[in-house]
Amino acid sequence: MHVIEFRNVSKSFVKHGGHLLLRDRIGHMLSNTKPERFFALRNVSFQIQHGESLAIIGPNGAGKSTLLSVVAGLAAPDEGTVQVNGRIAALLELGTGFHGDLTGRENVFLNAA
């Protein structure tokens, strides 16, 4: 049985040069031009069986956090399907939920509680 299965998953985002003013956003919505998009994930497929491990490595901007966000259900894929059999706990940011005054062991027990 698959614990996690990705089938042709794609996720894209609108490409823009920074923060947009409200008038610019409204102008883009009213215009007939489609915004330029970039794909963080394009046609990604894999299966993880019970007991298997997966390492996700790559340079900045490769889509690692986007892939984890899709697995955790924090972001929906534009295309494809994601099936997760079991529970997912998302700790995507380095240091998320960790208290600086506690030891690593104490932080693990605190977050596992």
Side-chain angles (χ1 to χ4, degrees), residues 5-42:
E5 183 175 12
F6 267 48
R7 285 190 216 139
N8 300 317
V9 173
S10 295
K11 177 69 178 168
S12 65
F13 297 96
V14 174
K15 186 185 267 190
H16 59 80
H19 297 287
L20 295 176
L21 297 174
L22 179 59
R23 70 172 181 240
D24 296 330
R25 287 190 186 271
I26 293 172
H28 286 298
M29 289 184 334
L30 296 176
S31 70
N32 289 333
T33 60
K34 285 189 174 184
E36 187 178 351
R37 301 188 75 81
F38 71 94
F39 282 87
L41 303 173
R42 185 176 287 163

Side-chain angles (χ1 to χ4, degrees), residues 2-113:
H2 306 300
V3 177
I4 299 173
E5 183 175 12
F6 267 48
R7 285 190 216 139
N8 300 317
V9 173
S10 295
K11 177 69 178 168
S12 65
F13 297 96
V14 174
K15 186 185 267 190
H16 59 80
H19 297 287
L20 295 176
L21 297 174
L22 179 59
R23 70 172 181 240
D24 296 330
R25 287 190 186 271
I26 293 172
H28 286 298
M29 289 184 334
L30 296 176
S31 70
N32 289 333
T33 60
K34 285 189 174 184
E36 187 178 351
R37 301 188 75 81
F38 71 94
F39 282 87
L41 303 173
R42 185 176 287 163
N43 296 326
V44 176
S45 297
F46 63 87
Q47 298 172 348
I48 301 175
Q49 304 290 338
H50 182 71
E52 291 182 331
S53 299
L54 173 71
I56 304 168
I57 58 174
N60 290 343
K64 301 178 299 288
S65 294
T66 301
L67 185 134
L68 293 173
S69 294
V70 171
V71 168
L74 301 174
D78 295 338
E79 297 174 353
T81 59
V82 177
Q83 184 176 2
V84 177
N85 297 313
R87 296 186 314 175
I88 299 289
L91 292 175
L92 295 177
E93 296 294 327
L94 185 61
T96 298
F98 285 88
H99 194 281
D101 294 335
L102 300 177
T103 66
R105 181 179 173 86
E106 291 168 335
N107 273 300
V108 167
F109 283 112
L110 177 67
N111 283 292

